[in-house]
Amino acid sequence: MDSCSLEIANWRNHQETLKYQFDAFYGERSTQQDIYAGSVQPILRHLLEGQNASVLAYGPTGAGKTHTMLGSPEQPGVIPRALMDLLQLTREEGAEGRPWALSVTMSYLEIYQEKVLDLLDSASGDLVIREDCRGNILIPGLTQKPITSFADFERHFLPASRNRTVGATRLNQRSSRSHAVLLVKVDQRERLAPFRQREGKLYLIDLAGSEDNRRTGNKGLRLKESGAINTSLFVLGKVVDALNQGLPRVPYRDSKLTRLLQDSLGGSAHSILIANIAPERRFYLDTVSALNFAARSKEVINRPFTNESLQLHVLAPVKLSQKELLGPSEAKRARGPEGEEIGSPEPTEAPASASQKLSPLQKLSSMDPAMLERLLSLDRLLGSQGSQGAPLLSTPRRERMVLMKTVEEKDLEIERLKMKQKELEAKVLAQEAVDPKEKENCSPTVLRPLSHRTVTVARPLKKAVVMPLQLIQEQAASPNTEIHILKNKGRKRKLESLDASEPEGKAEDCWELQISPELLAHGRQKILDLLNEGSARDLRSLQRIGPKKAQLIVGWRELHGPFSQVEDLERVEGITGKQMESFLKANILGLAAGQRCGPS
Ligand SMILES: Nc1ncnc2c1ncn2[C@@H]1O[C@H](COP(=O)(O)OP(=O)(O)OP(=O)(O)O)[C@@H](O)[C@H]1O
């Protein structure tokens, strides 16, 4: 329609059209330069402000993502153009006499079948993705090559690109079978006081294409790859939806791709999504799906911020004494045998005079920013509560550390209690699923939000264990009866015998106790058959399986083959061990209840 919108026929209703509004729309006549200059180039300057940026090419297989990102020698794409400009910018900004010294490094990786592989070091194995205390995503062990010129970049990038996994499918002779991620880091160091440091990260991502395997003709390995690609793109969609809906849990960890992009999706980056679409009729549904995804992604609001810190050696020029830094007792330990201050050529000044010379910022600069932030918020909290005494920030470092440790421990304890709470909630819900009548009897407090409850809400759970226990109660009524139960020990299931005189609470925890071993085995087999043979729709008939989980299960099955036991569900990305257990319990108890209420 115009440079920001497009309109396509609505396949559901031929009288209507679907209209999409984007920041930019590039038609068939657009050139690589149009896309780069119009949408990508403007974000590069943010890297020099210490902010992150990312560009993702998304779309169905064969629609031109690699062409857009890499291009050809005649029509270079986003990656070579961005690198050329960024290196030029950093040379200008980092020139002698300018306030900041700049350096650029590059890393290049692919996510292939949920493995993170270093393309600059083909010998490296699957790398782990971690998050630091400030929420930055890191990949320890990933190669970083310093680059100062475009020739440097090409020297590393071109051979590494050949390491990328590609393969022929019916729709693309050189189809990318992995998500390729080029990471370019710009580090800045201020040449004069206060010697600030900044880091800006640029992710340039060529995503693997979503694939309809009926059309790609994928089989064997291609089908497995396709399963991994579709699952991770599905999770990407889930993340975008969760961000749009403001859900408390965004499932970043459900795939390597979204985990890696955690600080670029709804995080601190300037993000651009390029949705590649193919205008041919046979790609119509792929086009609608890519446009819908792009429209949803456009709603995500990122909040870019500057990654800035102060260099530690800044403390020497301001003559900060060891005592100021460490507190009196640690300063003593840090002194040499003659009492001279280690690492300080200047004579020691009295703490009072030293501190008078320091601005508050300089004093705080010695601290880990995360800790500083927490201390500030604690100080604010104490202030708002009218607490007496010195604020935390002016207590000596050692005491501060002790206080921080206590706070951390309390946090961990709260987290542990929250987990316990969730576990109990899951049990209550499982029980409700089994016996709706009991649900009516349950106290309404069971469904109150977490914050309104105390941590000991086990009582409704106890009350909810009614129907399936009948069998046990019958058996327990006869003295000296031994009941066989299946007890969870780690992942191994062990047959143990439990004396009927076991305390009631223990019997309650072992829900398998509530049904006969035959019924249990039958239920497990029925669920396993459904997991292996059911369509996404069939899977939704299971308790605790919604449309998204059903899709994840189908994706996993495509990738890894049939489940050998129900517990394998835990291996599906996005399904935790706890969820698997609560799934097993709800379904088996549900089946058992069905059998008991049946015509027999
Ligand atoms: N705008 C374009 N101009 C010229 N050729 C193009 C254009 N877009 C794509 N192509 C060509 O179409 C073919 C498929 O494109 P490409 O490999 O970039 O698709 P893709 O979306 O990356 O696919 P996959 O997801 O399977 O990796 C390539 O041969 C590419 O050169």
Side-chain angles (χ1 to χ4, degrees):
M1 283 167 74
D2 56 42
S3 64
C4 290
S5 46
L6 82 162
E7 189 174 17
I8 60 171
N10 183 356
W11 62 290
R12 285 207 177 94
N13 179 349
H14 293 291
Q15 314 296 320
E16 284 177 15
T17 55
L18 300 168
K19 290 189 184 121
Y20 295 89
Q21 191 77 30
F22 296 113
D23 295 319
F25 168 68
Y26 299 96
E28 286 162 74
R29 298 221 178 97
S30 302
T31 62
Q32 299 272 38
Q33 171 62 16
D34 292 339
I35 297 173
Y36 173 71
S39 293
V40 179
Q41 198 178 32
I43 63 165
L44 296 182
R45 65 184 169 82
H46 295 301
L47 289 156
L48 303 191
E49 292 158 7
Q51 297 181 0
N52 296 344
S54 59
V55 182
L56 295 96
Y58 176 95
T61 182
K65 297 178 294 295
T66 307
H67 180 79
T68 305
M69 294 307 285
L70 275 185
S72 59
E74 305 76 49
Q75 300 174 52
V78 164
I79 289 178
R81 286 171 196 270
L83 262 293
M84 190 94 76
D85 278 358
L86 192 60
L87 286 161
Q88 176 65 26
L89 262 177
T90 53
R91 265 195 301 274
E92 285 167 14
E93 287 298 314
E96 283 298 322
R98 307 279 300 176
W100 296 85
L102 276 83
S103 61
V104 182
T105 59
M106 65 171 277
S107 303
Y108 193 24
L109 64 92
E110 71 173 345
I111 303 177
Y112 175 66
Q113 294 204 28
E114 284 304 272
K115 290 192 189 82
V116 178
L117 305 174
D118 190 342
L119 290 171
L120 293 176
D121 174 10
S122 51
S124 87
D126 184 12
L127 300 170
V128 287
I129 303 175
R130 297 214 186 287
E131 184 179 354
D132 72 9
C133 58
R134 280 181 266 177
N136 296 317
I137 296 296
L138 318 163
I139 304 182
L142 180 69
T143 310
Q144 281 192 54
K145 296 276 187 200
I147 47 172
T148 53
S149 65
F150 190 71
D152 266 356
F153 165 71
E154 281 195 317
R155 192 157 49 82
H156 300 305
F157 184 75
L158 295 181
S161 294
R162 288 192 280 276
N163 288 339
R164 192 178 172 195
T165 312
V166 292
T169 68
R170 211 185 277 162
L171 297 182
N172 188 357
Q173 267 308 301
R174 278 187 61 77
S175 175
S176 311
R177 312 310 296 158
S178 63
H179 307 298
V181 180
L182 174 66
L183 168 60
V184 184
K185 268 193 204 165
V186 180
D187 278 306
Q188 298 185 70
R189 280 158 195 270
E190 203 169 22
R191 290 198 165 102
L192 298 171
F195 302 103
R196 286 169 296 168
Q197 295 182 343
R198 286 178 184 166
E199 181 188 90
K201 284 193 295 190
L202 171 65
Y203 283 114
L204 296 164
I205 304 169
D206 178 9
L207 293 170
S210 48
E211 298 185 342
D212 178 343
N213 288 316
R214 282 163 300 187
R215 289 197 295 116
T216 51
N218 285 339
K219 291 196 183 87
L221 177 65
R222 293 281 167 275
L223 192 64
K224 262 189 162 190
E225 291 168 347
S226 175
I229 295 168
N230 286 346
T231 305
S232 60
L233 292 173
F234 172 72
V235 176
L236 182 62
K238 273 195 349 180
V239 164
V240 166
D241 287 345
L243 289 168
N244 282 342
Q245 290 164 29
L247 297 183
R249 181 182 174 269
V250 181
Y252 289 115
R253 286 169 187 261
D254 288 2
S255 82
K256 294 280 171 65
L257 174 68
T258 46
R259 179 71 169 138
L260 182 69
L261 294 180
Q262 188 167 333
D263 54 7
S264 305
L265 292 169
S268 59
H270 298 265
S271 300
I272 293 170
L273 181 93
I274 302 175
N276 288 78
I277 51 173
E280 294 159 72
R281 179 177 270 273
R282 66 195 172 110
F283 287 108
Y284 176 81
L285 285 178
D286 291 326
T287 302
V288 173
S289 142
L291 290 174
N292 286 341
F293 179 77
R296 275 148 61 207
S297 306
K298 193 171 171 289
E299 303 302 315
V300 175
I301 298 169
N302 285 17
R303 292 183 181 78
F305 61 80
T306 296
N307 298 316
E308 187 172 286
S309 58
L310 288 168
Q311 288 176 43
L312 284 185
H313 72 251
V314 64
L315 299 168
V318 294
K319 296 180 190 167
L320 191 63
S321 75
Q322 290 276 352
K323 202 166 173 179
E324 271 290 311
L325 274 172
L326 303 175
S329 50
E330 279 157 281
K332 211 171 173 185
R333 265 190 281 128
R335 280 168 193 270
E338 267 79 51
E340 80 280 4
E341 299 239 328
I342 292 169
S344 168
E346 304 288 335
T348 313
E349 291 187 46
S353 61
S355 69
Q356 278 156 12
K357 284 187 182 178
L358 296 171
S359 75
L361 178 66
Q362 286 164 337
K363 260 168 88 179
L364 302 179
S365 65
S366 64
M367 255 184 238
D368 170 27
M371 181 187 269
L372 178 58
E373 200 170 299
R374 300 202 62 184
L375 285 172
L376 281 166
S377 58
L378 277 173
D379 262 355
R380 276 196 297 272
L381 189 70
L382 290 174
S384 69
Q385 290 173 356
S387 165
Q388 299 293 308
L392 272 172
L393 287 171
S394 55
T395 56
R397 184 180 167 89
R398 193 143 183 231
E399 276 88 308
R400 278 201 308 260
M401 298 298 280
V402 173
L403 284 166
M404 290 307 295
K405 196 158 178 285
T406 316
V407 172
E408 296 287 352
E409 280 166 6
K410 293 274 176 243
D411 281 356
L412 280 175
E413 180 64 9
I414 290 168
E415 276 311 307
R416 202 183 59 73
L417 290 170
K418 277 186 185 166
M419 293 290 287
K420 183 84 191 150
Q421 178 88 20
K422 280 196 186 135
E423 217 174 284
L424 292 172
E425 283 170 10
K427 283 186 182 172
V428 172
L429 288 173
Q431 208 56 55
E432 286 172 355
V434 171
D435 188 356
K437 254 195 252 159
E438 190 57 31
K439 187 176 171 185
E440 285 162 24
N441 293 340
C442 278
S443 150
T445 56
V446 174
L447 295 177
R448 266 198 282 149
L450 191 69
S451 55
H452 294 172
R453 281 187 251 164
T454 61
V455 287
T456 50
V457 289
R459 198 174 293 157
L461 177 69
K462 233 179 181 179
K463 196 179 160 193
V465 180
V466 174
M467 188 276 302
L469 265 180
Q470 284 164 348
L471 187 69
I472 302 303
Q473 284 156 356
E474 281 161 24
Q475 285 170 321
S478 60
N480 305 325
T481 311
E482 284 218 330
I483 304 164
H484 290 281
I485 62 156
L486 279 169
K487 200 176 175 190
N488 246 338
K489 227 177 196 176
R491 285 193 175 188
K492 252 184 168 172
R493 304 185 73 77
K494 261 192 172 178
L495 195 64
E496 288 186 2
S497 76
L498 176 76
D499 192 290
S501 62
E502 279 277 331
E504 192 194 332
K506 190 159 181 184
E508 229 173 73
D509 283 347
C510 305
W511 60 269
E512 289 107 326
L513 186 67
Q514 302 161 14
I515 42 179
S516 70
E518 297 76 45
L519 211 53
L520 186 64
H522 173 72
R524 293 173 72 84
Q525 190 55 49
K526 234 178 145 179
I527 295 170
L528 188 61
D529 291 346
L530 196 51
L531 288 177
N532 283 329
E533 284 148 31
S535 63
R537 198 194 172 108
D538 300 334
L539 290 170
R540 285 168 60 187
S541 66
L542 287 165
Q543 308 254 19
R544 306 189 170 251
I545 301 292
K548 289 178 185 169
K549 282 216 173 70
Q551 206 59 51
L552 283 171
I553 293 170
V554 172
W556 192 93
R557 215 168 57 191
E558 276 186 18
L559 190 60
H560 302 278
F563 294 88
S564 54
Q565 52 176 353
V566 183
E567 280 76 4
D568 284 351
L569 258 191
E570 206 181 316
R571 293 165 58 194
V572 176
E573 289 282 356
I575 299 183
T576 62
K578 278 208 183 86
Q579 285 173 330
M580 186 279 295
E581 272 171 20
S582 113
F583 159 85
L584 193 61
K585 179 177 174 180
N587 282 287
I588 290 191
L589 291 183
L591 281 171
Q595 295 231 340
R596 285 211 204 95
C597 303
S600 67

